[in-house]
Amino acid sequence: MKGTNNTAANKTTGTPLTPEAWNDVTKIATAADDDALVDLFGLEPPAAVTSTTPRVAFTPLRNGPVVVGDAAARRVTVNPLRAMRSSIDNTKPREALSAVFHEPTVVNLPAGVGAGLWRLELLYAQIAYVDASSPQKGTTCTLAFAPTGAGAAVAGAPSVATLPANTSTTWNVPLYYVKNVGGAVSIANEDILDVPPAVVGGFAQEYLVRAKSQKSGVDARRAYSSANHSPLKLVSGGGSAFTGTQVLTSTVTPAMTGRPGLEVVTREILVPFEKTGPNADAWDESLVVDDTRDWRGANVEARWWFGQLTNFGEDDNSIAGAHPCTQTGGGASWLYMSAGQSWKAHDPGGGFAPALGSKLWAATIGVSVGAPKIYGPSEMLPAGHVLALVVDAATGALKFARRRPGAPADGSTLWIVLNAHFRGNP
């Protein structure tokens, strides 16, 4: 367990493992051997690696944003993460190193700048040995902003703080840029910006999805162009093709620069036919389909397979003669894509009767009572009928909902594949 301070050689300074610790998934993850990181993330050293020029990376240990601002103070809160460093010897590529912290940590911004001035501060994590003379004792993880002397605040295009140099016993992992604006008394989440891949030696930062998809190779991140998306290119006078309208200023943060830490979550949702039929035109969202995470704050896309399905045969042996996507005689099935978002409550309107009200919508299929049709072809549902996925604004649970006129009756089996893109801000 080279990457933690819970080692036999570090009993006096390490954090003891309580009897129930190994039932805690977070504790298990943070106590993982560093060799596993090489397999999980492909954390190979660069070709010309030295003791001070390895690749570095980090992976969050919680759902949701890694770094959040404070509405009442000039500081950020960093949620638990693991900072990683590749091997520093290409002849021993599996000798990666990491360090973790388990609790949210508050980090104050450097001193404020003068009125009308601004700069981009660089938040980073540092991996260091507990005892450099005895590396077997494990590592520690500390958080800091790059020294404020690295570039002065200016009125126009901001200077950008630079990452301190590594040493042979300490390695710095860039996390995010944070706007430091003269006169600002708080830090907005929109002012926490992605660090361009070039700053971390070309090793991109999509670690959360890879870690939670169990080495599936998923590469989930916002599109990035070194010529157009870097904060240095988007500031006034920069060289981005977007700067005609999307200039990064002390008061404006373009979407392609903000919204850090994209996380993509996929779910297969199966809804039995008893829950999809007419329900006397009463809005019903009582069926919770997923409460394993907080679903608030996502952009969502969903594929619905509804039509005339009669059962879920693929892994349900209780249904005689069942097969995947079994259809009734002469019936047909349709695949339909819908989209929504769960970060702002709104009323979809569109002629549904009665009105569905303001909700956090994830995905919807249905037909308005008049023209034009919305959310789906009329062949799928009669006019005025709607099926939906909504997010509970109070709990964050994902729910299946319906409003279908007519006498209560069974409907058709429903299969939904949902992708939620969490943009990194709560």
Side-chain angles (χ1 to χ4, degrees):
M1 308 225 180
K2 300 187 299 297
T4 77
N5 56 12
N6 298 320
T7 61
N10 189 34
K11 290 180 179 177
T12 58
T13 58
T15 303
L17 290 173
T18 56
E20 69 277 7
W22 293 106
N23 292 321
D24 186 319
V25 175
T26 299
K27 295 284 196 317
I28 294 173
T30 57
D33 190 276
D34 287 326
D35 282 357
L37 301 177
V38 178
D39 299 328
L40 189 63
F41 300 109
L43 191 60
E44 299 290 336
V49 67
T50 70
S51 62
T52 59
T53 61
R55 283 201 171 118
V56 295
F58 71 94
T59 182
L61 299 178
R62 287 187 177 181
N63 291 326
V66 180
V67 180
V68 293
D70 193 314
R74 299 180 63 259
R75 63 187 186 184
V76 296
T77 297
V78 185
N79 286 314
L81 60 80
R82 177 186 288 274
M84 296 172 279
R85 181 219 73 186
S86 73
S87 171
I88 57 176
D89 184 349
N90 266 308
T91 66
K92 301 174 181 178
R94 300 189 67 80
E95 290 193 352
L97 196 68
S98 72
V100 302
F101 63 93
H102 298 291
E103 300 298 331
T105 302
V106 173
V107 186
N108 292 316
L109 249 70
V113 298
L117 306 179
W118 68 300
R119 53 180 283 118
L120 291 179
E121 310 291 359
L122 180 56
L123 177 67
Y124 70 96
Q126 185 176 86
I127 304 168
Y129 288 122
V130 172
D131 182 348
S133 64
S134 302
Q136 72 275 10
K137 289 187 177 181
T139 56
T140 61
C141 183
T142 55
L143 300 167
F145 280 97
T148 56
V154 293
S159 59
V160 180
T162 56
L163 191 68
N166 297 322
T167 72
S168 58
T169 58
T170 62
W171 298 273
N172 301 317
V173 183
L175 301 178
Y176 292 101
Y177 288 131
V178 181
K179 279 187 183 180
N180 187 357
V181 180
V185 296
S186 61
I187 301 298
N189 289 314
E190 289 74 15
D191 291 338
I192 300 170
L193 315 178
D194 277 339
V195 173
V199 175
V200 287
F203 189 61
Q205 300 180 51
E206 66 270 12
Y207 313 121
L208 177 60
V209 172
R210 289 191 178 184
K212 296 200 171 183
S213 59
Q214 298 179 339
K215 220 176 91 172
S216 70
V218 173
D219 180 354
R221 50 180 160 164
R222 291 183 299 114
Y224 176 83
S225 160
S226 57
N228 293 313
H229 294 91
S230 167
L232 292 176
K233 298 291 186 179
L234 287 170
V235 295
S236 178
S240 171
F242 292 117
T243 53
T245 56
Q246 299 294 315
V247 179
L248 174 65
T249 70
S250 61
T251 58
V252 176
T253 302
M256 69 280 292
T257 302
R259 298 167 47 147
L262 177 67
E263 176 188 2
V264 180
V265 178
T266 299
R267 292 288 188 272
E268 179 190 48
I269 301 169
L270 306 176
V271 182
F273 59 87
E274 297 93 337
K275 297 296 183 180
T276 65
N279 64 331
D281 199 23
W283 178 252
D284 174 25
E285 56 179 88
S286 61
L287 181 61
V288 176
V289 293
D290 190 287
D291 59 6
T292 60
R293 62 166 300 139
D294 189 337
W295 289 92
R296 291 169 292 190
N299 290 319
V300 178
E301 62 175 355
R303 286 167 287 167
W304 300 70
W305 197 273
F306 185 60
Q308 299 296 320
L309 301 184
T310 58
N311 56 59
F312 299 121
E314 183 173 6
D315 52 6
D316 190 347
N317 295 328
S318 65
I319 301 177
H323 301 284
C325 300
T326 300
Q327 300 177 7
T328 57
S333 298
W334 296 272
L335 184 65
Y336 178 69
M337 179 78 74
S338 69
Q341 41 77 12
S342 63
W343 46 270
K344 181 180 180 181
H346 70 280
D347 188 333
F352 282 114
L356 300 180
S358 180
K359 299 183 183 300
L360 301 179
W361 295 94
T364 311
I365 58 172
V367 182
S368 64
V369 294
K373 297 177 293 186
I374 64 171
Y375 297 122
S378 59
E379 292 82 3
M380 184 176 288
L381 291 172
H385 290 230
V386 61
L387 301 176
L389 292 174
V390 296
V391 175
D392 190 302
T395 67
L398 183 67
K399 297 178 175 180
F400 173 74
R402 60 178 169 164
R403 167 166 269 158
R404 303 198 61 188
D410 292 338
S412 297
T413 300
L414 180 60
W415 176 45
I416 307 171
V417 178
L418 177 145
N419 293 317
H421 296 241
F422 291 86
R423 67 193 192 280
N425 292 336

